[in-house]
Amino acid sequence: MEQRRPKPVPQLVSGLVLAGVTSALWAAWLGWDQQRDVHADGSTTGPYEAWQVIGLVLTLLVPVCWAASRRYVGGAVVGVTVGLTASAYYDWSDDSSGLFVVGVGMVMMGSLAVTSVLGAVIASVKRGGGVVTGL
């Protein structure tokens, strides 16, 4: 059976659309909460609560699965990674210590790894390969 390769322009468009969707979802879930919580002992947490990050991850599953099921795995991986990385950089760049760069790098590597695996699994199942083995 001959494998069809997706054309590069739809891959690019899907990546750009997913980057925009990802940035919008970041703003909806995390962008509005900028206050750190100060506890009685003087320690601080935040600014995000766990439910906000979980909500962002779960809502990002929908566009990633949609794109990967239509063979736009590259667009899904690159779009979500770029969207999350750019949003984290924009949101955290006011940190005077400069350590925000470490966090941004972790967001980039984590989103790249997770979307790559998820996209490969969905594309494999969609092709009829069933469950991916050997992971």
Side-chain angles (χ1 to χ4, degrees), residues 98-125:
L99 287 176
F100 76 94
V101 176
V102 174
V104 170
M106 291 173 69
V107 166
M108 180 183 68
M109 290 184 291
S111 61
L112 181 63
V114 171
T115 54
S116 296
V117 170
L118 182 62
V121 168
I122 291 170
S124 174
V125 170

Side-chain angles (χ1 to χ4, degrees), residues 3-43:
Q3 294 275 346
R4 290 182 320 148
R5 292 189 150 232
K7 297 192 186 284
V9 171
Q11 285 283 354
L12 178 64
V13 170
S14 69
L16 291 172
V17 168
L18 278 170
V21 167
T22 301
S23 294
L25 287 173
W26 177 285
W29 283 103
L30 304 178
W32 54 271
D33 191 1
Q34 300 297 319
Q35 300 292 354
R36 293 194 173 275
D37 299 324
V38 180
H39 301 286
D41 64 356
S43 64

Side-chain angles (χ1 to χ4, degrees), residues 60-127:
L60 279 174
L61 286 175
V62 174
V64 170
C65 291
W66 180 86
S69 69
R70 283 155 181 77
R71 299 182 49 104
Y72 299 132
V73 177
V77 170
V78 172
V80 170
T81 300
V82 167
L84 285 177
T85 303
S87 297
Y89 184 87
Y90 178 79
D91 200 12
W92 300 341
S93 64
D94 61 348
D95 176 35
S96 61
S97 71
L99 287 176
F100 76 94
V101 176
V102 174
V104 170
M106 291 173 69
V107 166
M108 180 183 68
M109 290 184 291
S111 61
L112 181 63
V114 171
T115 54
S116 296
V117 170
L118 182 62
V121 168
I122 291 170
S124 174
V125 170
K126 187 71 174 175
R127 273 194 306 262

